[in-house]
Amino acid sequence: MPDCIVVGCGFVGSVAARHMAERDFKVLVLERRNHIAGNMYDYKRDNGILIHKYGPHTFHTNNKKLYDYVNKFDTWFNYRLKCMVNIDGILTPSPFNFQTIDDFFEPSAAEQIKLSIMTEYKGFTEMPVTNLLTDKNPLIREFAGFLFEKDYRLYTSKQWGIPPEEIDVSVLKRVPVRFSYETGYFNDKYQIMPEHGYTHFFSNLLDHPNISVKLNTDAKKYLRVDTESGKAIFNDAPAEMPIIFTGAVDELLDYKFGILPYRSLRFELKDIPVDSYQPAPIVAYPQEKEFTRITEYKKLPDQKVKGSTTIAVEYPVQYEPGSGTEQYYPIPTESNQKKYEEYRNALANIKNIFLCGRLAEYKYYNMDQVLERALELCSILDTVYGLS
């Protein structure tokens, strides 16, 4: 019998497993997929190009503690991601900036819009489009309305499968409008990628004699919970050891309160016999009917492969249990959050089950945010079990 059970070996599961292993716990990691690294899993195509199976990932943070943590387990290099958006056949920077104004407005009108922004938002470097939509200046409102109708409304509706009015406003604030010509998708101090890929980083993270990983293993075959008695059952016996659960809580409780909705993704991979397909690693297509963006992995990061490139066309779809699709994005609506709270409350009296991660907490996390949550969990485990 292990001293600690971890369900899932994505970022949270792997960090927690390593933490407990270093405190001399025998850790069993159960992973339903056939690989480690969760949604950060990457591998090389036959043409030699490293791709991210579950969509593009770059690590960015302002937190030196997180930066130092990942650097303990692999070599990372600086990488500044650049993205673009195709609107009316014109490629403009993402996040939108002053170049976007120049791209879509006549020169005199563009100068007036930029001057209005610099005057009214003096001291600010960026602002969510939701703020600009209600600005008192009609020129700024016109610019924001153009962006909202040509990009935000279309992309959000397609990505989430519901009108933007129904989605939590935090989604619309994720990509602000910049008040400069600065490019680069993120502003964070540390923007890095692992030299040998994410799978290699996770392999190092899990490389400890106290960690055992079982792939192709559905934890539900071994683990169940009795919410009435407040007991976790593992292999048909009461389980007193810490259980770190990073999977979907509705699955754990057999959808007792209904299915928690998620958006999923389908990727269409294409190997193309050219050196370069598009001018940026990621280009969004808000006006396309079905797909949202195209990632060119040869540029994520830059890879020295001649005469070939690989692109992934990304199609958002609704997640359906049992369909083979993955749960990517919790859908942040008030009703969905209330349903999640029912699940969380039902598990609250089972003191040795610790929920953490995007699925377990039904919350969208960036990579640095989920690492921070994982390290917070490690501190909680230290406190609960008297570890140093």
Side-chain angles (χ1 to χ4, degrees), residues 26-149:
K26 300 295 183 183
V27 182
L28 174 63
V29 180
L30 304 176
E31 171 56 55
R32 65 178 175 81
R33 295 173 177 172
N34 62 359
H35 59 75
I36 62 173
N39 284 2
M40 295 166 67
Y41 172 72
D42 53 18
Y43 69 96
K44 280 192 175 182
R45 302 276 285 177
D46 290 341
N47 61 4
I49 294 174
L50 184 73
I51 75 159
H52 306 170
K53 182 175 180 178
Y54 302 98
H57 288 79
T58 60
F59 188 85
H60 56 97
T61 185
N62 287 313
N63 188 330
K64 189 174 185 299
K65 178 183 176 182
L66 306 182
Y67 172 80
D68 290 341
Y69 182 88
V70 297
N71 275 277
K72 287 196 305 183
F73 297 99
D74 214 338
T75 303
W76 297 67
F77 62 92
N78 294 329
Y79 178 82
R80 186 175 173 82
L81 177 66
K82 291 192 175 182
C83 300
M84 305 189 82
V85 181
N86 187 312
I87 295 177
D88 294 341
I90 297 172
L91 291 178
T92 196
S94 177
F96 299 121
N97 62 9
F98 280 177
Q99 181 61 52
T100 306
I101 301 175
D102 295 341
D103 287 339
F104 295 103
F105 291 83
E106 292 297 326
S108 59
E111 291 305 313
Q112 288 182 318
I113 294 171
K114 288 183 286 186
L115 180 60
S116 296
I117 288 173
M118 288 187 291
T119 301
E120 294 200 27
Y121 293 95
K122 186 177 181 179
F124 290 89
T125 59
E126 62 185 32
M127 192 64 62
V129 71
T130 49
N131 293 58
L132 305 183
L133 285 167
T134 58
D135 192 273
K136 63 178 185 281
N137 188 311
L139 290 175
I140 295 177
R141 289 201 310 272
E142 180 187 3
F143 172 53
F146 171 85
L147 297 180
F148 190 79
E149 295 302 327

Side-chain angles (χ1 to χ4, degrees), residues 241-381:
M241 77 285 283
I243 299 171
I244 295 141
F245 188 82
T246 73
V249 290
D250 55 348
E251 292 182 20
L252 179 62
L253 293 183
D254 299 316
Y255 308 107
K256 180 177 181 178
F257 305 110
I259 295 172
L260 285 170
Y262 291 86
R263 290 296 277 176
S264 188
L265 298 172
R266 177 175 66 84
F267 299 98
E268 187 178 293
L269 285 171
K270 299 179 182 179
D271 297 325
I272 303 174
V274 297
D275 279 326
S276 177
Y277 179 82
Q278 59 191 25
I282 300 173
V283 176
Y285 289 82
Q287 294 166 311
E288 287 290 336
K289 184 178 180 181
E290 295 184 347
F291 68 89
T292 50
R293 61 184 182 176
I294 295 176
T295 300
E296 185 173 8
Y297 279 108
K298 187 177 180 177
K299 297 181 171 76
L300 192 73
D302 297 322
Q303 300 178 53
K304 308 302 180 184
V305 176
K306 295 291 186 181
S308 180
T309 192
T310 298
I311 66 168
V313 185
E314 192 169 312
Y315 297 84
V317 297
Q318 191 66 20
Y319 168 73
E320 299 291 343
S323 67
T325 56
E326 299 286 346
Q327 300 123 303
Y328 279 88
Y329 305 109
I331 301 175
T333 65
E334 185 177 348
S335 61
N336 291 343
Q337 185 60 33
K338 287 181 178 178
K339 186 180 293 185
Y340 168 72
E341 295 293 337
E342 290 186 89
Y343 281 107
R344 190 182 68 174
N345 292 337
L347 291 166
N349 65 334
I350 306 178
K351 302 304 182 183
N352 63 321
I353 290 186
F354 300 87
L355 303 177
C356 192
R358 184 185 294 193
L359 298 183
E361 297 179 83
Y362 199 69
K363 184 176 182 180
Y364 185 87
Y365 284 120
N366 288 330
M367 289 165 60
D368 65 323
Q369 293 170 326
V370 81
L371 174 56
E372 188 168 22
R373 282 289 296 121
L375 294 177
E376 287 174 2
L377 171 64
C378 292
S379 295
I380 291 170
L381 291 166

